[in-house]
Every structure is written in C-alpha cells, then in structure tokens.
C-alpha cells in the first residue's frame, strides 16, 4: 500500500498507510464533525466525489446514502486517491421551459416543464426552482425517471407565498425558469422488489410519492404498496380517481384517501392519514416507509413507524417546511 | 487447557449483538413517557446511531468514550430539563430488560450494567 491523496475543497491531505481519512484530516487540523470513531455514530459522514468509496466505509449507511457515495471517514482506509466533500455541493442550475399548467384542486397546480439539459434524477427527489429575480423554492419531482427531460411539480398556493402565488397567477406556458440539480435522499431504488412499502403523504406530499409509486411499478415491484394521502378537507386531495384506477390496474397497489376534519365522503377514510395508516398496518417490521408532507406528520410518523417495527434504514422522509402560512 | 480470555464484547456477540440490542432498547426508551422527552424527536436517526455508540461502549466494545463528551452532551438536559437519577435509572432498567429479552446470561448483564452505571456521574454532571 502506498500513500493516498485526499482532496477536500482546495486542501490536500496525504493519508498514511493504515490511517483513516478522519484521522488524516484531524491530523491536518481540518474541522470535521466526529465522535465515536468506530463507525457507529455516523457523525463523520462525508461524500466521495470521484467514484465509489471502499465498501467497508459504507457499512451501516442507508442504501440511498451508499448510492450517492457517502461514507464514514473514520472507517475509510482509501484504496486510491480520493476527492471528498463534507458540505453540500453548490446548486447548479439549468434552464427549463413551462409546457403545461393545470389545476389539480383549487389550491394545487400541476406544473410541467421541459429542461434544456436532461437531468439525472430519482423519483422522489426534489429540485430548487429559481425565478428570474433569484427567488428560490424547493419542489419535489412528481414523476418517475422514465419521463427524461420532462418534469412535473405540484405547487400548492400558500397565503403570502411569493413563489407559489407567482407560479399560480403569473407564470405562463412558454416562460422559463431555472432548475437545480436533483437533490435529497427520499427516493426509490429497485434493490428489494418484494419489500412491502407504506407511503404517507399530506397535501402536495403526494407529488414525490406518486413519482416513487410510478417508478416502483415500472420496475415490477412485487411487494405490497400502500398509499395513504391525507388532507384536512376533501378539497385538499387530488388524483383520487387516478389512484383508484391505478389500484385496479395493479393488485399490489392499495390507496386510501383520508380527511382529518369533518365527515368523510363515501370511500374516503376519516382521520389523519398517518393515524389511519398506522392503525390499519400495525406491524411494519421489514417494511419500507416513505413520508412526505407536513413536518409534524413526518416526525410523528417516523417515530410511530419505528415503534411499529420499521427500521430507520428503511424510513425515507421529506418534510415540507414552508416559509408562510397555508391558505387554511 | 490453555487459558483463553474472551472479551465481554466477544462473549456478547460483537456488533451483531449491539445491533439487536439497539433495536429493542431504543424502542423501549422512545415508548417510555418518563424519559422520551429527552430524546429529540426531530433527529431520531442520529439518536439511534448514538444509542449504538453507547451500547457498544457498555458491551465492552471498541469506543472512544470520554467523560467530558458525555457531560457536554447532557449538560443542557441536566440544567434545563431536569435530567436526574430517576431518568438514568429508567434507562438502566430498559438496558437490563433488553438484554434479558435477548437471553443474555445474567453474569454478562451484570458486567454490561456496571459499565453503563459508570457513566452516571458524567451524564448527570456531578
């Protein structure tokens, strides 16, 4: 074994024989979070920017993190020179043109754009959309990978929401906006096609889930797939018929619409989507769970899914933090 | 017969045993209304990883435990949230019952409990 060069931003550190990347960085007084140094606490997670890191350094990491070349610096004994990062990369933007606008319900817009460059994304990831004046908001990609250069987003109109109001009222077909590289770790990998999946979304949290479901079905996912979509009132839901249709088409896909306030119409469950789901599926051992939408729902459901047997490795979530109050 | 000394960590079953124990232990802790408020809801995954580091240490496994780190990590809970012996006792109780559920022999449970117990003064900032 010879010495390996570690490049971190504009710094270069030589990793000695038998020395971990963490120890090499610390020796050079590079500030990197760390604690246990035994691969347990995952504080020293970094990302390889020049290919897959050593497999041993990825032990215990979630599949999507491994997929994105994340590794634990304390467990990493480089086999080759490495370029690594411990901070999120700067956004790279490309241009996109609006090709369709359609209302999904009174407050949610289905926006379809065509990107100038084809972006490599995974169903469930999000991008940052940037308006001409630099205003940026994050939106989940609502379609699967098969659509290539076409991307759809569900944009919920928020009271005082500068971006969402603009997208609803002023953005027109033919207009352009900037779109960042896809980001986030709440996505589907076809690595366990028989695993049962539970997906819970509130409001426009259906967007990434719809993409994930489409991707999973496209890959012939054979485990049971249960989707619970909730809103306070029936007006906040959308794609009810489309999802029912999908459930008829695929016997392993199950769909439950939920409303938490007032009486539920025929065929819709009464209660919060996460409460309904957790009651109907008491044992989540070995299940894969996707949670998208309201931050409180996501945090509560993550805890509850774990207590009902799901492992944290199998829980993927995307909490939608909003800058302004919702319409209701 | 030559004398072989197998470490506590090896006798317990190493990392696989820690993983099995964290699985049970952290669920018990999160379900316990007496103590679950000390476990930040927003960062459960990181917390679970920390539990693993803690149990690895208690199992006599490789660790970089320092009392100072433990003190700092729990300082605000002692000062602001009233973390005291009763809460530490509750965690110890869950640790013991977890190991019992995993059919760990009593003499090993006693050793794990003793290591965990040794962190009490650091965690409670005394």
């Amino acid at each position: 074994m010879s010495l390996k060069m570690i490049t971190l931003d504009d710094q270069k550190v030589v990793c000695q024989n038998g020395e971990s990347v963490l120890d090499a960085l610390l020796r050079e007084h590079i500030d990197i979070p760390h604690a246990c140094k035994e691969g347990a606490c995952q504080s020293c997670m970094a990302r390889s920017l020049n290919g897959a890191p050593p497999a041993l350094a990825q032990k215990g990491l979630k599949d999507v993190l491994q997929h994105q070349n994340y590794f634990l610096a304390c467990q990493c004994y480089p086999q080759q020179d490495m370029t690594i990062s411990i901070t999120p990369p700067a956004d790279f933007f490309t241009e996109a043109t609006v090709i369709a606008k359609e209302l999904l319900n009174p407050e949610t817009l289905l926006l379809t754009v065509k990107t100038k460059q084809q972006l490599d994304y995974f169903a469930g990831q999000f991008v940052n959309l940037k308006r001409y004046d630099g205003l940026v908001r994050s939106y989940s990609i609502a379609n699967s990978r098969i659509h290539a250069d076409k991307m759809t987003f569900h944009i919920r109109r928020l009271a005082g929401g500068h971006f969402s109001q603009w997208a609803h009222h002023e953005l027109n077909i033919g207009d352009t906006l900037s779109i960042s590289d896809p980001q986030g770790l709440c996505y589907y990998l076809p690595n366990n096609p028989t695993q049962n999946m539970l997906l819970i979304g509130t409001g426009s949290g259906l967007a990434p889930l719809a993409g994930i479901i489409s991707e999973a079905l496209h890959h012939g996912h054979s485990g049971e797939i249960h989707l619970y979509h909730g809103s306070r009132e029936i007006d906040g839901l959308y794609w009810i018929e489309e999802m029912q249709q999908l459930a008829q088409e695929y016997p392993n896909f199950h769909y439950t619409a939920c409303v938490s306030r007032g009486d539920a119409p025929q065929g819709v469950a009464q209660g919060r989507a996460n409460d309904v789901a957790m009651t109907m599926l008491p044992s989540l051992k070995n299940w894969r769970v996707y949670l998208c939408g309201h931050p409180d729902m996501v945090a509560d459901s993550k805890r509850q899914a774990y207590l009902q047997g799901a492992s944290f490795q199998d829980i993927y979530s995307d909490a939608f933090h909003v800058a302004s109050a919702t319409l209701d | 017969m030559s004398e072989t000394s197998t470490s506590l960590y090896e006798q317990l079953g190493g990392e696989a045993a820690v993983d099995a124990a964290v699985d049970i232990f952290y669920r018990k802790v999160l379900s316990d209304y007496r103590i679950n408020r000390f476990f930040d809801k927003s960062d459960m995954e990181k917390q679970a990883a920390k539990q693993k580091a803690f149990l690895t240490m208690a199992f006599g496994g490789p660790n970089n435990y320092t009392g100072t780190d433990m003190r700092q990590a729990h300082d605000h809970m002692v000062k602001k949230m009233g973390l005291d012996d009763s809460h530490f006792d509750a965690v110890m109780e869950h640790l013991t019952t977890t190991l019992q559920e995993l059919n760990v022999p009593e003499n090993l449970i006693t050793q794990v409990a003793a290591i965990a117990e040794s962190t009490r003064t650091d965690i409670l900032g005394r």
Side-chain angles (χ1 to χ4, degrees):
Chain A
M1 285 247 294
S2 54
L3 307 179
K4 305 292 180 228
M5 184 71 81
I6 309 296
T7 307
L8 170 68
D9 302 323
D10 53 357
Q11 303 178 85
K12 285 187 189 300
V13 173
V14 174
C15 197
Q16 309 283 348
N17 235 333
E19 187 181 39
S20 72
V21 169
L22 177 65
D23 285 334
L25 296 177
L26 293 176
R27 177 168 46 75
E28 293 302 318
H29 308 291
I30 291 172
D31 193 20
I32 167 171
H34 65 281
C36 82
K37 291 192 176 179
E38 291 299 334
C41 77
Q42 304 191 355
S43 304
C44 63
M45 192 153 59
R47 188 176 186 183
S48 165
L49 302 178
N50 64 332
L56 277 177
Q58 295 191 301
K59 206 166 151 263
L61 295 185
K62 204 173 224 172
D63 59 358
V64 285
L65 288 166
Q66 295 187 7
H67 183 235
Q68 304 268 339
N69 293 332
Y70 283 93
F71 66 95
L72 300 177
C74 73
Q75 298 299 301
C76 184
Y77 299 90
Q79 315 285 309
Q80 55 185 31
D81 291 349
M82 294 180 79
T83 303
I84 68 169
S85 165
I86 53 173
T87 45
D91 267 359
F92 173 80
F93 284 91
T94 184
E95 196 182 275
T97 307
V98 177
I99 57 169
K101 274 184 85 175
E102 180 195 328
L103 276 183
L104 293 167
N105 65 26
E107 62 195 47
T108 313
L109 167 73
L110 173 66
L111 181 75
T112 309
V113 303
K114 194 172 183 304
T115 55
K116 209 168 183 178
Q117 277 172 282
Q118 194 162 318
L119 297 177
D120 190 21
Y121 58 85
F122 296 91
Q125 283 194 299
F126 66 88
V127 294
N128 290 324
L129 297 182
K130 185 158 74 175
R131 193 168 74 174
Y132 53 87
D133 63 351
L135 182 71
V136 174
R137 290 289 182 272
S138 303
Y139 283 99
S140 295
I141 301 164
N143 53 274
S144 59
R145 277 162 71 79
I146 31 186
H147 295 274
D149 62 350
K150 243 171 60 178
M151 278 185 177
T152 55
F153 307 99
H154 298 177
I155 300 184
R156 185 156 178 237
R157 188 163 50 90
L158 304 170
H162 295 297
F163 192 95
S164 64
Q165 295 282 359
W166 168 76
H168 272 253
H169 302 302
E170 293 172 50
L171 183 64
N172 292 314
I173 291 172
D175 287 354
T176 58
L177 68 174
S178 302
I179 185 164
S180 78
D181 276 342
Q183 301 166 22
L185 297 166
C186 177
Y187 62 87
Y188 177 82
L189 282 177
N191 54 4
N192 194 353
T194 57
Q195 192 173 27
N196 291 332
M197 306 205 309
L198 164 63
L199 306 96
I200 308 174
T202 52
S204 56
L206 181 60
L209 300 183
I212 288 167
I213 290 165
S214 156
E215 186 82 25
L217 293 174
H218 173 72
H219 281 281
H221 194 95
S222 60
E224 299 294 318
I225 304 174
H226 289 260
L227 167 68
Y228 292 82
H229 184 209
S231 185
R232 281 182 212 169
E233 273 136 27
I234 194 80
D235 262 6
L237 296 176
Y238 54 92
W239 277 359
I240 297 179
E241 278 171 27
E242 284 85 344
M243 288 298 151
Q244 287 169 341
Q245 181 68 37
L246 202 62
Q248 282 189 347
E249 223 173 296
Y250 293 90
N252 63 327
F253 174 64
H254 313 275
Y255 165 66
T256 309
C258 311
V259 292
S260 59
R261 205 185 270 173
D263 289 331
Q266 182 80 24
V268 174
Q270 163 64 47
R272 290 165 186 264
N274 52 325
D275 293 338
V276 175
M278 297 295 173
T279 308
M280 286 172 73
L281 303 169
S283 172
L284 295 172
K285 197 170 167 59
N286 298 323
W287 281 58
R288 192 187 294 202
V289 180
Y290 291 94
L291 308 165
C292 299
H294 198 286
D296 290 344
M297 182 285 284
V298 168
D300 289 350
S301 304
K302 198 187 267 188
R303 177 176 182 277
Q304 197 57 37
Y306 176 71
L307 292 179
Q308 290 184 202
S311 131
F312 282 123
Q313 298 276 359
D314 287 324
I315 304 177
Y316 304 80
S317 63
D318 195 356
F320 293 3
H321 295 274
V322 296
S324 55
T326 56
L327 277 178
D328 28 276
Chain B
M1 216 165 71
S2 67
E3 200 180 312
T4 53
S5 64
T6 317
S7 74
L8 173 63
Y9 188 61
E10 286 165 28
Q11 289 180 66
L12 286 162
E15 194 184 351
V18 174
D19 285 337
V22 172
D23 234 33
I24 301 174
F25 173 73
Y26 191 43
R27 286 192 174 89
K28 284 184 189 295
V29 165
L30 280 185
S31 307
D32 185 343
Y33 69 93
R34 293 173 297 175
I35 50 176
N36 58 13
R37 68 194 169 91
F38 295 107
F39 293 84
D40 183 5
K41 196 167 82 164
S42 64
D43 215 354
M44 267 176 300
E45 263 177 283
K46 266 195 191 154
Q47 294 270 2
K50 282 183 190 149
Q51 302 311 312
K52 184 173 172 183
F54 173 69
L55 289 195
T56 303
M57 190 269 296
F59 277 33
N63 70 88
N64 283 278
Y65 172 78
T66 73
T68 322
D69 289 347
M70 281 293 201
R71 269 172 198 275
Q72 276 171 4
H74 296 87
D75 185 55
H76 74 285
M77 297 185 207
V78 174
K79 289 188 177 136
K80 303 250 166 68
M81 298 170 76
L83 183 72
D84 63 25
D85 281 304
S86 70
H87 307 116
F88 191 90
D89 291 342
V91 171
M92 288 297 291
E93 183 188 312
H94 291 312
L95 178 59
T96 307
T97 50
T98 297
L99 298 174
Q100 284 165 348
E101 280 176 35
L102 289 168
N103 296 314
V104 173
E106 273 309 320
N107 65 318
L108 299 186
I109 297 183
T110 312
Q111 293 179 56
V112 172
I115 300 176
E117 182 61 48
S118 72
T119 65
R120 183 187 293 260
T121 52
D122 286 325
I123 286 175
L124 297 179
R126 290 199 291 248

